[in-house]
Structure formats: structure tokens, C-alpha cells
Amino acid sequence: MYQTGWLVLARSIQVTFLTLVGISLVISYFRAREKGNVTLFYERQMKRALILIVLGILLSFITFIFLPGYFIRFGILHVIGMSVLTLIPVVPQKHRALVFSVLILVLGYFRRSLGTSSYALYIFGFYRELVPTLDYFPIFPWMGFVAFGIFLGHFFYPHGNRKWNLPEMENFFGKCIVFMGKRALIIYLIHIPILLISFFVMGVIS
């Protein structure tokens, strides 16, 4: 039960984070459109996606060196980068984003029964064998949450403006949430070496 509770919490955070990626794409798109520079939006998002993919590959390389039995083959940085690159064209189209999200999530749900023994399909989630790893976010179903976030972005932020007024988070807890939200990528990058050091201290790796 204890492990199940932590798994539910972890999955909830991961789903929320990826959904927020999609919502932020919509907000950025409308802000760029207001300034009459949609082309700059696409250029910036492609650049950010490529940076995330490169960082993901770097983490794969580092974890392969220090923890080869559990190294990250396709983690959350990889899937966010690939999701942004793939879904950029549907950011302005909320209904198409919803269709994409449903298809990806449904296929992801049945990926075990549709799986094969081909390792080439590992990043898509259709590799049947379980592979030990520190971090694994296959395209199916995880890209679906980013696509769903794009749809929600149009609903909650029509034309880039918040649909409802929310209370400002001025207390200490609220400021901590905002601080971590703005630095989520840095926090993620820092937690990997912390894990590696912890494993070293516990004797899991030498």
C-alpha cells in the first residue's frame, strides 16, 4: 500500500507536468501571435525542443557510465523534446490536439498487448520486455498528455488570457510552488546526480 501511494503521487505529478507543457505552448503561441511574430514562436519552440533532446541524450550518456544496468534510454526530457517537435503544428488547433491526445493515450493504454520483441520500438512504448531504468517515458502514452494540455490550454487560456481570475499565491507555500515551477528543468537535472551519489553511498554502484 505504501509503495502504491508513492506511485500514485509520482504519476500524478508526471501527468500534471506534461499537461502543463502543452498548456504553456498555447500561452506562448497566443502571446507571439499578439506581437505578430508567430514564426518566432515556432523557431523558439524548435530550439527548446532540440536543447531538451540534447540534454536527454547527455543524461543517457552519464547514467550509462555510472549506472549501466539502469541507464536512461528515453526519459522525460526526451519525450518532452519529441512532443514539442511533433505537436508544434497542432498548437493553434485545439480539436486536432484533442484527437491526437485521445489516439496516443488509447494506443499507449494497449501498448502491452500490442507490444513486440523489437527493441526499435522501445521509445514508442511497444517493446514488450521490461528494461530496468531510472527514467522511462515512452511516446505512447506520455506524448498524449502534452497534446491534451494543448487542448486544455485553449479552454483555460482562450487567446492566451486566463479564463477565470485566480487568487494570487503570495504566501510562503505559493511562492515555493511558483519558484519550483519556473525551475522545474533545473530541479530535474539536479536530482539525477543526487540519485547517483546516493546509490554510490549505499554501495549500489562503485
Side-chain angles (χ1 to χ4, degrees):
M1 173 119 20
Y2 179 77
Q3 291 180 340
T4 302
W6 277 111
L7 179 61
V8 171
L9 176 62
R11 285 289 182 251
S12 300
I13 293 172
Q14 292 156 358
V15 168
T16 301
F17 183 67
L18 289 170
T19 303
L20 288 173
V21 170
I23 293 174
S24 68
L25 284 173
V26 174
I27 296 172
S28 298
Y29 168 78
F30 280 117
R31 287 179 179 174
R33 198 175 75 170
E34 278 185 8
K35 297 177 181 178
N37 203 344
V38 175
T39 302
L40 183 61
F41 162 77
Y42 290 114
E43 291 176 352
R44 283 180 175 175
Q45 296 306 323
M46 288 181 67
K47 181 179 178 182
R48 288 171 181 169
L50 291 173
I51 289 173
L52 286 170
I53 292 171
V54 169
L55 288 174
I57 294 172
L58 180 61
L59 273 180
S60 296
F61 179 71
I62 292 172
T63 53
F64 178 76
I65 292 174
F66 292 100
L67 206 63
Y70 297 89
F71 81 95
I72 299 172
R73 295 160 176 83
F74 198 81
I76 197 163
L77 293 182
H78 302 79
V79 79
I80 292 175
M82 290 298 296
S83 296
V84 173
L85 278 180
T86 305
L87 297 173
I88 284 177
V90 304
V91 170
Q93 305 165 15
K94 61 180 179 181
H95 294 109
R96 187 170 294 183
L98 179 61
V99 171
F100 265 79
S101 69
V102 171
L103 289 175
I104 296 170
L105 290 171
V106 169
L107 283 173
Y109 181 79
F110 292 106
R111 72 184 188 277
R112 290 297 180 195
S113 57
L114 298 172
T116 71
S117 57
S118 174
Y119 187 71
L121 297 177
Y122 176 80
I123 69 170
F124 298 100
F126 294 110
Y127 182 58
R128 188 178 295 131
E129 304 298 325
L130 294 176
V131 180
T133 179
L134 288 175
D135 199 21
Y136 180 44
F137 288 84
I139 290 174
F140 296 88
W142 294 102
M143 187 185 290
F145 294 109
V146 179
F148 187 63
I150 293 173
F151 171 75
L152 289 182
H154 283 275
F155 180 75
F156 289 112
Y157 293 86
H159 306 292
N161 301 312
R162 195 162 54 192
K163 195 171 184 178
W164 296 286
N165 291 324
L166 298 174
E168 297 295 332
M169 301 178 71
E170 294 296 335
N171 55 37
F172 177 76
F173 178 75
K175 289 180 179 178
C176 288
I177 295 296
V178 173
F179 177 85
M180 290 188 293
K182 291 180 177 180
R183 295 160 179 83
L185 176 59
I186 296 173
I187 293 171
Y188 174 80
L189 292 173
I190 290 174
H191 101 281
I192 295 296
I194 291 175
L195 278 177
L196 292 174
I197 292 171
S198 300
F199 287 147
F200 177 79
V201 171
M202 292 185 294
V204 176
I205 59 176
S206 58

